[in-house]
Amino acid sequence: GPASAPPPPAPPPAPGGAPPPAGGDGSQDALGSLQRLVYGSYGETYFNAGGGSPLLYAGVLLATQQFERAVAVLAAVPHLRQEAVHFGLALQHEGLLAVAQQKLADSSLLVGTSPSPSLALPPLVAQHVGEWASEGVDASRAAIGYLWLLRGPAAQRQELCIQLLLGCGKPEALLPRSGLSHIAEADYRELLRAVSSRLAGKGRASQAARLLYEAREHRQLSALLVAELSANIAAAARGTNPAAGDAAERAARLCADAAAFAREWRDSDPKEASAHGAPLFALLSIAQLLEGADAWRAASKGLPAAGPRGATDAIAMQPLSALLVRVEALSEAGLLPASLAEVEAAQAEYRLQPPEVRRAFPQLVETCVELLHAQYVALRIARCAPMP
């Protein structure tokens, strides 16, 4: 007759040669004994010999409520990692998963020892979504959705999103707001501000400014523009910002963009602009004066004005008197003294300014002295000129 099916293989012997336990021994519950039987006595070499049956082993682990180990088994197989992420997120949502926030040094997803290890779910999800988040803005938004399903410290979830967006180069995935409607408004605002701050710190201020502008985060955008304007002025004073070329173009464009935003802010929300925009308006006035003075110097020497032609040609044609009008405006704002009697008041106003504004004052004072001296020379020449 036909050959009979071979008997199932016998379970491996337990340590010390004793047969594997068949159930509780009176000191442990039956489920715990079964879990130890599956994982400790049989193990992966029995259910997944040669790595050919990971689903079988994961299924047995799930059936015995060893959820952390089951997800780790699936995650170890590249084509099953997505299922591992989905299982992990669903189990965590239902409160069935012990989650560790970080992996250990050996990169294992399981943290701790038997019988109840924890699963490093956040690193698993971050690694998975990072593999495809750079495929486009929609993919990046979907990746943020995965990360936002993680439970645990809000700061860690935010940090994972920041690293994802910067790593895949898609910070614009935060816009428009409707694309991330599943995130609460307060959390969304905090995430957007954090990403913008990190972008600015990495020298990507234009991307940061666009995020803040589109999200109408006027206060944060004002602070960013103040920091960038101050840095440009300081760089020019040190001579590390070339007078021509890309750096000058970026500086002139920044000044123009800041002026446009300041006008729009004053028009759209004059109350907020008045309450929080003083540093920006002061530094913008200083930057415009310094930019005009640079163009005036270049024109008076017969040299081409620094910066893009569209931004500086008109400035280069300004007479000295136009620059002195700007100096008077700074005096009227209390930033510069118009007479000896106003020196103490101007000093008090100076001490109230934030560091970014105060940092620009040495170059401002030097430029004003130069302009006033030029006015004095022009007046003397005009006075000494012979009458026609």
Side-chain angles (χ1 to χ4, degrees):
S4 59
D25 57 4
S27 62
Q28 300 288 339
D29 62 277
L31 177 59
S33 298
L34 180 60
Q35 290 173 339
R36 290 190 298 275
L37 174 68
V38 169
Y39 180 77
S41 299
Y42 287 83
E44 186 169 7
T45 57
Y46 178 77
F47 292 101
N48 188 26
S53 305
L55 288 176
L56 172 62
Y57 186 36
V60 174
L61 292 171
L62 287 172
T64 55
Q65 299 185 23
Q66 300 185 77
F67 303 124
E68 297 80 13
R69 298 186 191 279
V71 174
V73 168
L74 294 174
V77 183
H79 69 274
L80 296 177
R81 189 169 296 129
Q82 179 172 327
E83 282 68 21
V85 169
H86 292 166
F87 265 116
L89 290 172
L91 290 167
Q92 177 198 230
H93 182 270
E94 297 301 320
L96 299 175
L97 200 69
V99 176
Q101 299 304 319
Q102 295 181 340
K103 295 191 290 185
L104 296 178
D106 62 0
S107 298
S108 173
L109 287 175
L110 294 176
V111 178
T113 58
S114 57
S116 300
S118 299
L119 179 76
L121 183 62
L124 170 62
V125 177
Q127 178 186 1
H128 171 65
V129 301
E131 294 173 354
W132 45 264
S134 60
E135 294 176 3
V137 173
D138 290 339
S140 298
R141 289 196 191 103
I144 294 174
Y146 271 85
L147 294 174
W148 215 256
L149 291 174
L150 290 168
R151 301 294 180 259
Q156 187 200 40
R157 182 174 57 187
Q158 182 184 97
E159 181 61 26
L160 289 173
C161 290
I162 294 173
Q163 292 179 4
L164 172 81
L165 292 172
L166 298 185
C168 70
K170 302 292 182 184
E172 63 271 21
L174 291 173
L175 301 172
R177 172 71 178 96
S178 58
L180 296 171
S181 57
H182 57 280
I183 300 178
E185 182 67 20
D187 292 334
Y188 171 79
R189 294 286 174 184
E190 185 175 354
L191 175 60
L192 186 141
R193 288 192 290 266
V195 171
S196 300
S197 176
R198 199 72 61 87
L199 284 170
K202 291 181 175 292
R204 297 158 66 179
S206 59
Q207 286 183 294
R210 178 176 177 266
L211 284 180
L212 295 172
Y213 177 78
E214 295 293 341
R216 303 194 66 76
E217 291 282 349
H218 291 160
R219 295 188 197 179
Q220 287 70 30
L221 178 54
S222 174
L224 173 62
L225 292 173
V226 164
E228 291 299 310
L229 287 169
S230 179
N232 280 354
I233 293 173
R238 293 192 304 267
T240 57
N241 196 6
D246 292 342
E249 285 200 25
R250 287 194 299 270
R253 190 179 305 114
L254 172 66
C255 195
D257 290 344
F261 164 70
R263 289 192 298 269
E264 181 179 330
W265 194 13
R266 278 172 163 156
D267 293 340
S268 63
D269 195 342
K271 184 176 180 181
E272 183 186 51
S274 176
H276 302 282
L280 173 62
F281 303 141
L283 197 54
L284 185 57
S285 297
I286 295 172
Q288 290 172 333
L289 173 64
L290 296 178
E291 183 183 13
D294 285 341
W296 167 74
R297 292 188 196 100
S300 60
K301 294 179 181 178
L303 299 175
R309 293 187 60 83
T312 59
D313 277 357
I315 297 175
M317 298 304 295
Q318 291 183 102
L320 178 62
S321 57
L323 295 175
L324 293 173
V325 169
R326 291 187 178 275
V327 174
E328 291 178 7
L330 290 172
S331 298
E332 292 173 359
L335 296 174
L336 292 174
S339 65
L340 288 176
E342 298 177 5
V343 170
E344 290 188 6
Q347 289 176 335
E349 181 67 25
Y350 168 81
R351 286 191 288 268
L352 293 175
Q353 297 297 330
E356 293 84 359
V357 178
R358 295 201 302 267
R359 196 178 298 132
F361 265 72
Q363 193 172 358
L364 170 64
V365 172
E366 182 180 352
T367 299
C368 289
V369 170
E370 180 185 3
L371 294 174
L372 292 172
H373 178 71
Q375 182 189 38
Y376 169 74
V377 171
L379 291 174
R380 283 195 62 182
I381 292 174
R383 182 177 299 177
C384 297
M387 296 295 292

